[in-house]
Amino acid sequence: MKKKWAFIAMNAAYDPSRQHARFDTPDQEGHLLTVRSAEDAVILAAELAEQGFGAIEVCGAFGPQLARRMYEATGCRVPVSFITTEPDELDQVKAFWSGK
């Protein structure tokens, strides 16, 4: 059986039914998924756990609190990791995402 994992990105403008991708290898099934809100992310995490996913990764904008809520929504069965940025790069990240 293949290992299944997902990376989730969040933006209110995403259309999750259209904006997604799947990457298969002989041993793994990777999914790039999108959600529109934190609540959608929590619901999706629970669904992924039921579908047999073994790991979830999210963008840094989710933060530790939302990642924890998602983990708890899986029944604490699927780890939820989030991307972080080194302190010396934070100004560049903030400038990029703020549109300045």
Side-chain angles (χ1 to χ4, degrees), residues 3-26:
K3 290 184 179 183
K4 292 169 43 171
W5 61 272
F7 179 87
I8 305 170
M10 180 171 52
N11 186 302
Y14 285 146
D15 178 353
S17 68
R18 290 186 319 106
Q19 294 166 312
H20 57 88
R22 180 172 163 169
F23 308 92
D24 285 282
T25 68

Side-chain angles (χ1 to χ4, degrees), residues 4 43-53 56 73-75 77-78:
K4 292 169 43 171
I43 292 167
L44 180 58
E47 291 171 355
L48 295 176
E50 292 304 314
Q51 295 171 20
F53 280 68
I56 299 171
T74 72
R77 295 176 292 161
V78 182

Side-chain angles (χ1 to χ4, degrees), residues 61-79:
F62 283 57
Q65 292 85 11
L66 180 52
R68 174 55 61 171
R69 284 180 55 209
M70 293 171 68
Y71 173 65
E72 290 170 354
T74 72
C76 300
R77 295 176 292 161
V78 182

